[in-house]
Amino acid sequence: MIAPMHISAVLALLAQLVSSHGGPSALAATPAPVFPVTSGGGLTWAVPKTWVPGPSSAMRLATYFLPASAGDAERPELAVFWFGPGKGGSVDANVERWFSQFASSPGDPKPTRSLMRTGVLPVTLVRAAGTYSSGTGMGDASPAKSGFALRGAIAEGPDGAVFFKLTGPRRSMAAAGVDFDALVASLKP
């Protein structure tokens, strides 16, 4: 027989995993900080003034909500993850997982990946568009969202990779591009 305490611990862990990978708000989520998080994993960054801090979780270092463009029902969301030195999977594995969350339709741009440097930091940039399914493969039943886009950056910092994953309606994402690029350019060890 499984003790009730063990079941509670397993449910809490699953809630943390789902909330940190784009699933519904979990019990483990913490309230949004009064001031936005601007550092983690050995890196600092500047947050645009129009971005609103959201809740974090055990696995999510920070969340930011960006302004929605007129006509968009949802705001873009930037999730920032840091798992520790050598943790969280390889850059390649994360890029492939992010790309696999998008199903392209005819006319959607092909997913892209590029490498840049911000000072001494290698940063992998990714873009994708199409129908977004944020599920983690752990029974997450989040509905697929058509007309969505991804802008991502994986910064290889001194304390491990920091993952910046921005998703939202395509129109709002186009408007957020300059601010996302500014955040990436602001990264410093």
Side-chain angles (χ1 to χ4, degrees):
M1 180 170 187
I2 300 175
M5 187 167 76
H6 288 110
I7 292 172
S8 296
V10 168
L11 289 175
L13 176 61
L14 287 174
Q16 289 174 353
L17 289 171
V18 168
S19 72
S20 68
H21 286 84
S25 296
L27 299 174
T30 58
V34 175
F35 299 101
V37 174
T38 58
S39 66
L43 301 179
T44 63
W45 54 88
V47 177
K49 292 180 183 188
T50 59
W51 294 12
V52 177
S56 61
S57 70
M59 292 177 57
R60 189 179 283 204
L61 183 61
T63 302
Y64 308 100
F65 294 105
L66 289 63
S69 293
D72 283 343
E74 289 188 50
R75 300 181 291 178
E77 177 181 344
L78 177 68
V80 182
F81 302 96
W82 175 71
F83 302 100
K87 296 185 177 169
S90 69
V91 170
D92 290 339
N94 279 279
V95 168
E96 288 306 313
R97 184 172 50 79
W98 290 356
F99 285 167
S100 75
Q101 293 174 332
F102 280 82
S104 297
S105 298
D108 284 330
K110 292 186 180 200
T112 62
R113 173 185 178 160
S114 61
L115 181 64
M116 66 168 286
R117 288 198 175 274
T118 300
V120 299
L121 295 173
V123 180
T124 299
L125 300 174
V126 297
R127 289 181 186 231
T131 300
Y132 175 54
S133 299
S134 65
T136 62
M138 296 174 52
D140 183 6
S142 296
K145 300 174 182 182
S146 64
F148 261 54
L150 160 74
R151 295 279 310 265
I154 303 172
E156 298 177 59
D159 295 336
V162 179
F163 304 88
F164 297 83
K165 182 182 179 189
L166 176 62
T167 56
R170 196 178 296 184
R171 181 179 25 233
S172 295
M173 292 290 289
V178 171
D179 282 346
F180 181 77
D181 292 341
L183 179 138
V184 171
S186 77
L187 289 167
K188 293 182 176 64

Coordinates of all heavy atoms in Angstrom, one line a residue, residues 105-157:
S105 N 2.0 24.3 -41.1 CA 1.0 24.2 -42.2 C 1.6 24.8 -43.4 O 2.6 25.5 -43.3 CB -0.3 25.0 -41.8 OG -0.9 24.5 -40.7
P106 N 1.1 24.5 -44.6 CA 1.6 25.1 -45.8 C 1.6 26.7 -45.6 O 0.6 27.2 -45.1 CB 0.6 24.7 -46.9 CG 0.0 23.4 -46.4 CD 0.0 23.6 -44.9
G107 N 2.7 27.3 -46.0 CA 2.8 28.7 -45.8 C 3.5 29.2 -44.6 O 3.9 30.3 -44.4
D108 N 3.6 28.3 -43.6 CA 4.3 28.6 -42.3 C 5.8 28.6 -42.6 O 6.3 27.7 -43.4 CB 4.0 27.6 -41.2 CG 2.7 27.8 -40.6 OD1 2.2 29.0 -40.5 OD2 2.1 26.8 -40.1
P109 N 6.6 29.5 -42.0 CA 8.0 29.4 -42.3 C 8.6 28.2 -41.6 O 8.1 27.7 -40.6 CB 8.5 30.7 -41.6 CG 7.5 31.1 -40.6 CD 6.2 30.6 -41.2
K110 N 9.7 27.7 -42.2 CA 10.4 26.5 -41.6 C 11.1 27.0 -40.3 O 11.5 28.1 -40.2 CB 11.4 26.0 -42.6 CG 10.8 25.4 -43.8 CD 11.8 24.7 -44.7 CE 11.1 24.1 -45.9 NZ 11.8 23.1 -46.5
P111 N 11.1 26.0 -39.4 CA 11.9 26.4 -38.1 C 13.3 26.7 -38.5 O 13.9 26.1 -39.4 CB 11.8 25.1 -37.3 CG 10.6 24.3 -37.9 CD 10.6 24.7 -39.3
T112 N 13.9 27.7 -37.8 CA 15.3 28.0 -38.0 C 16.1 28.0 -36.7 O 15.5 28.2 -35.6 CB 15.4 29.5 -38.6 OG1 14.9 30.4 -37.7 CG2 14.7 29.5 -39.9
R113 N 17.4 27.8 -36.8 CA 18.3 27.8 -35.7 C 19.5 28.5 -36.2 O 20.0 28.3 -37.3 CB 18.6 26.4 -35.4 CG 19.7 26.2 -34.3 CD 20.0 24.8 -34.1 NE 21.1 24.6 -33.2 CZ 21.4 23.5 -32.5 NH1 20.7 22.4 -32.7 NH2 22.4 23.5 -31.7
S114 N 20.1 29.4 -35.3 CA 21.3 30.1 -35.6 C 22.1 30.2 -34.3 O 21.6 30.1 -33.2 CB 21.1 31.4 -36.2 OG 20.4 32.3 -35.3
L115 N 23.4 30.5 -34.4 CA 24.3 30.7 -33.3 C 24.9 32.1 -33.4 O 25.3 32.5 -34.4 CB 25.4 29.7 -33.3 CG 26.4 29.7 -32.1 CD1 25.7 29.4 -30.8 CD2 27.6 28.8 -32.4
M116 N 24.9 32.8 -32.2 CA 25.4 34.1 -32.1 C 26.2 34.2 -30.8 O 26.2 33.3 -30.0 CB 24.4 35.2 -32.2 CG 23.4 35.2 -30.9 SD 22.4 36.6 -30.8 CE 23.5 37.8 -30.2
R117 N 26.9 35.3 -30.7 CA 27.6 35.5 -29.4 C 27.1 36.9 -28.9 O 27.0 37.8 -29.6 CB 29.1 35.6 -29.6 CG 29.7 34.2 -29.9 CD 31.2 34.2 -29.6 NE 31.7 32.8 -29.7 CZ 31.7 31.9 -28.7 NH1 31.3 32.3 -27.6 NH2 32.2 30.7 -28.9
T118 N 26.9 36.9 -27.6 CA 26.6 38.1 -26.9 C 27.8 38.3 -25.9 O 27.9 37.6 -24.9 CB 25.3 38.0 -26.1 OG1 24.2 37.8 -27.0 CG2 25.0 39.3 -25.4
G119 N 28.7 39.1 -26.3 CA 30.0 39.2 -25.6 C 30.7 37.9 -25.8 O 30.9 37.4 -26.9
V120 N 31.0 37.2 -24.7 CA 31.7 35.9 -24.7 C 30.7 34.7 -24.7 O 31.1 33.6 -24.8 CB 32.7 35.8 -23.5 CG1 33.7 36.9 -23.6 CG2 32.0 35.8 -22.2
L121 N 29.4 35.0 -24.5 CA 28.4 34.0 -24.4 C 27.9 33.4 -25.7 O 27.4 34.2 -26.5 CB 27.2 34.5 -23.6 CG 27.3 34.9 -22.2 CD1 26.0 35.6 -21.7 CD2 27.6 33.7 -21.3
P122 N 28.0 32.1 -25.9 CA 27.4 31.5 -27.1 C 25.9 31.4 -26.8 O 25.4 31.0 -25.7 CB 28.0 30.1 -27.2 CG 28.8 29.9 -26.0 CD 28.8 31.2 -25.2
V123 N 25.1 31.9 -27.8 CA 23.6 31.9 -27.6 C 23.0 31.2 -28.9 O 23.3 31.7 -30.0 CB 23.1 33.3 -27.5 CG1 21.6 33.3 -27.3 CG2 23.7 34.0 -26.2
T124 N 22.3 30.2 -28.7 CA 21.6 29.6 -29.8 C 20.2 30.2 -29.9 O 19.5 30.2 -28.9 CB 21.4 28.0 -29.6 OG1 22.8 27.5 -29.5 CG2 20.7 27.4 -30.7
L125 N 19.8 30.7 -31.1 CA 18.5 31.3 -31.3 C 17.7 30.4 -32.2 O 18.2 29.8 -33.1 CB 18.7 32.6 -32.1 CG 19.5 33.7 -31.3 CD1 19.8 34.9 -32.2 CD2 18.9 34.1 -30.0
V126 N 16.4 30.3 -31.9 CA 15.5 29.5 -32.6 C 14.2 30.2 -32.9 O 13.8 31.1 -32.1 CB 15.1 28.1 -31.9 CG1 16.4 27.3 -31.8 CG2 14.5 28.4 -30.6
R127 N 13.5 29.9 -34.0 CA 12.2 30.4 -34.4 C 11.4 29.3 -35.0 O 12.0 28.4 -35.7 CB 12.4 31.5 -35.5 CG 13.0 32.8 -35.0 CD 13.0 33.8 -36.2 NE 13.7 34.9 -35.8 CZ 13.2 36.2 -36.0 NH1 12.0 36.3 -36.5 NH2 13.9 37.2 -35.6
A128 N 10.1 29.3 -34.7 CA 9.2 28.3 -35.3 C 7.8 29.0 -35.3 O 7.6 29.9 -34.6 CB 9.2 27.0 -34.5
A129 N 6.9 28.5 -36.2 CA 5.6 29.0 -36.2 C 4.7 27.8 -36.7 O 5.1 26.9 -37.4 CB 5.5 30.2 -37.2
G130 N 3.4 28.0 -36.3 CA 2.4 27.0 -36.7 C 1.4 26.7 -35.6 O 1.1 27.6 -34.8
T131 N 1.0 25.5 -35.5 CA 0.1 25.1 -34.4 C 1.0 24.6 -33.2 O 1.7 23.6 -33.4 CB -0.9 24.0 -34.9 OG1 -1.6 24.5 -36.0 CG2 -1.8 23.5 -33.8
Y132 N 0.8 25.2 -32.1 CA 1.6 25.0 -30.9 C 0.9 24.0 -29.9 O -0.2 24.3 -29.5 CB 2.0 26.3 -30.2 CG 2.7 26.2 -28.9 CD1 3.9 25.5 -28.9 CD2 2.3 26.9 -27.8 CE1 4.6 25.5 -27.7 CE2 3.0 26.8 -26.6 CZ 4.2 26.1 -26.6 OH 4.9 26.1 -25.4
S133 N 1.6 23.0 -29.6 CA 1.2 22.0 -28.5 C 2.2 22.0 -27.5 O 3.3 21.5 -27.7 CB 1.0 20.6 -29.1 OG 0.0 20.6 -30.1
S134 N 1.9 22.6 -26.3 CA 2.9 22.7 -25.3 C 3.1 21.5 -24.4 O 3.9 21.6 -23.4 CB 2.6 23.9 -24.4 OG 1.4 23.7 -23.7
G135 N 2.4 20.4 -24.6 CA 2.4 19.3 -23.8 C 3.8 18.8 -23.5 O 4.7 18.9 -24.3
T136 N 4.0 18.2 -22.3 CA 5.3 17.7 -21.9 C 5.4 16.2 -22.1 O 6.4 15.6 -21.8 CB 5.5 17.9 -20.4 OG1 4.5 17.2 -19.7 CG2 5.4 19.4 -20.0
G137 N 4.3 15.6 -22.6 CA 4.3 14.1 -22.8 C 4.0 13.4 -21.5 O 4.1 12.2 -21.4
M138 N 3.5 14.2 -20.5 CA 3.2 13.6 -19.2 C 1.7 13.7 -18.9 O 1.2 13.9 -17.8 CB 3.9 14.3 -18.1 CG 5.4 14.2 -18.2 SD 6.3 15.2 -17.0 CE 5.5 14.8 -15.5
G139 N 0.9 13.5 -20.0 CA -0.6 13.6 -19.8 C -1.1 15.0 -19.8 O -2.3 15.2 -19.6
D140 N -0.3 16.0 -20.2 CA -0.8 17.3 -20.3 C -1.8 17.4 -21.4 O -1.5 17.1 -22.5 CB 0.4 18.3 -20.5 CG 0.0 19.7 -20.5 OD1 -1.2 20.0 -20.3 OD2 0.9 20.5 -20.8
A141 N -3.0 17.9 -21.1 CA -4.0 18.0 -22.1 C -4.2 19.4 -22.6 O -5.3 19.8 -23.0 CB -5.3 17.5 -21.5
S142 N -3.2 20.3 -22.6 CA -3.3 21.6 -23.1 C -3.8 21.6 -24.6 O -3.2 20.8 -25.4 CB -2.0 22.4 -23.0 OG -1.7 22.5 -21.7
P143 N -4.8 22.4 -24.9 CA -5.2 22.3 -26.3 C -4.2 22.9 -27.3 O -3.5 23.9 -26.9 CB -6.5 23.2 -26.3 CG -6.4 24.0 -25.1 CD -5.6 23.3 -24.1
A144 N -4.1 22.4 -28.5 CA -3.2 23.0 -29.5 C -3.7 24.4 -29.9 O -4.9 24.6 -29.9 CB -3.2 22.1 -30.7
K145 N -2.7 25.2 -30.2 CA -3.1 26.6 -30.5 C -2.5 27.0 -31.9 O -1.3 27.0 -32.1 CB -2.4 27.6 -29.5 CG -2.9 27.3 -28.0 CD -2.2 28.1 -27.0 CE -2.7 27.8 -25.6 NZ -2.1 28.6 -24.6
S146 N -3.4 27.2 -32.8 CA -3.0 27.6 -34.2 C -2.6 29.0 -34.2 O -3.0 29.8 -33.4 CB -4.0 27.2 -35.2 OG -5.2 28.0 -35.0
G147 N -1.7 29.3 -35.2 CA -1.3 30.7 -35.4 C -0.3 31.2 -34.4 O -0.3 32.4 -34.1
F148 N 0.4 30.3 -33.8 CA 1.4 30.7 -32.7 C 2.8 30.7 -33.3 O 3.0 30.2 -34.4 CB 1.3 29.7 -31.6 CG 0.5 30.2 -30.4 CD1 -0.8 30.7 -30.6 CD2 1.0 30.3 -29.1 CE1 -1.6 31.1 -29.6 CE2 0.2 30.8 -28.1 CZ -1.1 31.2 -28.3
A149 N 3.7 31.3 -32.5 CA 5.1 31.4 -32.9 C 6.0 31.2 -31.7 O 5.5 31.4 -30.6 CB 5.4 32.7 -33.6
L150 N 7.2 30.8 -32.0 CA 8.2 30.6 -31.0 C 9.4 31.5 -31.3 O 9.9 31.5 -32.5 CB 8.7 29.2 -30.9 CG 10.0 28.8 -30.3 CD1 10.0 28.9 -28.8 CD2 10.5 27.4 -30.7
R151 N 10.0 32.2 -30.3 CA 11.3 32.8 -30.4 C 12.0 32.2 -29.1 O 11.5 32.3 -28.0 CB 11.3 34.3 -30.2 CG 10.6 35.0 -31.3 CD 11.5 35.3 -32.6 NE 12.8 35.8 -32.4 CZ 13.1 37.1 -32.4 NH1 12.2 38.0 -32.7 NH2 14.3 37.5 -32.2
G152 N 13.2 31.6 -29.3 CA 13.9 31.0 -28.2 C 15.4 31.4 -28.2 O 15.9 31.7 -29.3
A153 N 16.0 31.4 -27.1 CA 17.4 31.6 -26.9 C 17.9 30.7 -25.8 O 17.3 30.6 -24.8 CB 17.7 33.1 -26.6
I154 N 19.0 30.0 -26.1 CA 19.7 29.2 -25.1 C 21.1 29.8 -24.9 O 21.9 29.7 -25.8 CB 19.7 27.7 -25.5 CG1 18.3 27.2 -25.8 CG2 20.4 26.9 -24.5 CD1 18.2 25.8 -26.4
A155 N 21.3 30.4 -23.8 CA 22.5 31.0 -23.5 C 23.4 30.1 -22.6 O 22.9 29.6 -21.6 CB 22.3 32.3 -22.7
E156 N 24.6 29.8 -23.1 CA 25.5 28.9 -22.4 C 26.3 29.7 -21.4 O 27.4 30.1 -21.8 CB 26.3 28.1 -23.4 CG 25.4 27.3 -24.3 CD 26.2 26.5 -25.4 OE1 27.1 25.7 -25.1 OE2 25.9 26.8 -26.6
G157 N 25.8 29.8 -20.2 CA 26.5 30.6 -19.2 C 27.5 29.9 -18.4 O 27.6 28.7 -18.5

